[in-house]
Amino acid sequence: MAVTFSKSKEYLVGVDSDGCAFDSMEIKHQECFIPNFIKYFGLQPISRFARETAAFTNLYSKTRGANRFVSYLLAIDMLKDRPEVKARNVELPKLQGLRDWISRETKLGTKTIKPEAEKTGDADLKLCYEWSAAVDATVADMVKGVPPFPGVKSALEKLKEQADVIVCSATPTAALEAEWDEHGIAGLVEEICGQEAGSKTEILTAAQKLGYEPDKMLMVGDAPGDMKAALAVGACFYPINPGKEEDSWERFNNEAIDKFFKGEYRGAYMDKVIAEFETFLPENPSWKK
């Protein structure tokens, strides 16, 4: 079961954490994920390109917010195609063991890759576990005092009056709990569902089975993956636009919440905010233009 809370309200709202509720995407990827990516996967000879490529797949493109194993594997694959990397004759890891694991596992996280690496003895999985664990340790050490975006707390307080609110994130649950507790907003949600609970689609699917009507479900997120998860279960989606987060939360507080509770959200209004959202993140990197 991906969720453990009980339905108490007519409405359900899922809220993503990194980059959506918290301004934590940049510090986590630039200072925690990417340095360990370069270190563990032997990318020192091409560190400049590794940093640029991983930042693109995780922060500045339509794959923003994807699971770490998926998005950093994509960065490896993008590096293979870069002329600058080919010119340096750097041998990139193939990571076939990771590819195979991703194809058979839905709960992609540090806690699930470790026993799989131990059981199979796969060198790729062992390496990827060591990288992921190092990332978690660096995040725990580095990411402190990063507050929610202005408008988040007031939105949660307003939502809680009529909706069951959950955190729906691909971040490890322990990190989420620490961040939401640190800033005094954990008590405004029914449950904090991180990567151990499954994908965002699995979390929303499990929540929907508690008896919410699709039109009374809303996912708030900053990445196309959040939108995909919402639409997969027939829920509404509200985007927090990358780079315009404060404006997005202000509009959410002033307009979108009321429209959602009045049954006026789906349709022209949702289509408008999604069309705007889709202009913020490119599919192709600048070096491919």
Side-chain angles (χ1 to χ4, degrees):
M1 189 70 174
V3 300
T4 59
F5 76 98
S6 298
K7 180 178 185 282
S8 64
K9 307 271 176 56
E10 192 177 351
Y11 297 87
L12 176 87
V13 179
V15 181
D16 179 47
S17 191
D18 290 340
C20 176
F22 288 89
D23 192 6
S24 52
M25 287 281 278
E26 288 283 339
I27 189 171
K28 285 188 177 181
H29 285 284
Q30 300 284 20
E31 311 300 336
C32 305
F33 278 88
I34 293 175
N36 282 301
F37 178 58
I38 292 166
K39 174 183 175 182
Y40 279 85
F41 296 101
L43 305 176
Q44 291 89 339
I46 53 166
S47 65
R48 175 159 56 106
F49 307 113
R51 178 174 289 279
E52 183 182 39
T53 305
F56 177 77
T57 62
N58 287 277
L59 296 170
Y60 310 130
S61 72
K62 292 197 181 296
T63 53
R64 172 185 169 95
N67 176 273
R68 63 179 65 180
F69 296 106
V70 174
S71 58
Y72 277 86
L73 184 59
L74 178 59
I76 291 274
D77 288 343
M78 275 196 166
L79 281 168
K80 288 176 184 172
D81 291 334
R82 292 196 64 161
E84 308 96 328
V85 174
K86 291 177 181 177
R88 284 161 175 75
N89 294 315
V90 174
E91 187 172 346
L92 296 169
K94 295 183 175 58
L95 300 176
Q96 190 58 48
L98 178 65
R99 297 173 197 277
D100 293 343
W101 179 65
I102 288 173
S103 71
R104 66 177 182 267
E105 175 62 65
T106 59
K107 294 177 174 63
L108 302 174
T110 310
K111 288 185 177 178
T112 50
I113 198 170
K114 183 183 181 183
E116 191 72 6
E118 291 170 347
K119 182 178 80 174
T120 62
D122 187 287
D124 290 341
L125 293 183
K126 181 175 183 292
L127 173 64
C128 292
Y129 163 69
E130 290 170 352
W131 165 72
S132 189
V135 168
D136 292 344
T138 310
V139 168
D141 179 59
M142 168 74 72
V143 184
K144 293 181 174 67
V146 180
F149 286 108
V152 170
K153 187 174 182 183
S154 58
L156 293 172
E157 289 169 343
K158 191 171 182 180
L159 289 169
K160 191 172 172 60
E161 294 174 8
Q162 297 185 63
D164 293 324
V165 184
I166 62 171
V167 179
C168 182
S169 169
T171 298
T173 304
L176 293 170
E177 289 172 345
E179 289 159 4
W180 284 67
D181 279 335
E182 179 187 358
H183 298 285
I185 56 173
L188 297 175
V189 299
E190 297 298 318
E191 188 168 0
I192 294 176
C193 302
Q195 67 180 207
E196 295 84 356
S199 69
K200 292 173 184 178
T201 301
E202 289 176 320
I203 293 166
L204 292 177
T205 299
Q208 188 174 47
K209 288 178 180 175
L210 298 178
Y212 302 98
E213 296 173 23
D215 280 354
K216 294 179 179 178
M217 294 177 67
L218 174 70
M219 177 69 193
V220 182
D222 65 302
D226 301 318
M227 179 171 69
K228 186 178 177 183
L231 300 182
V233 300
C236 300
F237 175 67
Y238 180 81
I240 301 300
N241 294 324
K244 295 287 185 181
E245 295 89 354
E246 293 183 30
D247 292 345
S248 299
W249 279 107
E250 184 178 3
R251 180 173 63 184
F252 187 63
N253 276 292
N254 293 341
E255 288 181 6
I257 293 177
D258 289 338
K259 286 184 179 292
F260 176 59
F261 287 141
K262 288 177 181 176
E264 299 170 357
Y265 186 82
R266 192 189 296 278
Y269 186 80
M270 186 167 91
D271 292 346
K272 181 187 79 169
V273 296
I274 286 177
E276 180 189 62
F277 171 62
E278 290 185 325
T279 68
F280 278 81
L281 297 169
E283 269 185 53
N284 295 312
S286 58
W287 61 87
K288 276 197 170 184
K289 289 177 182 175

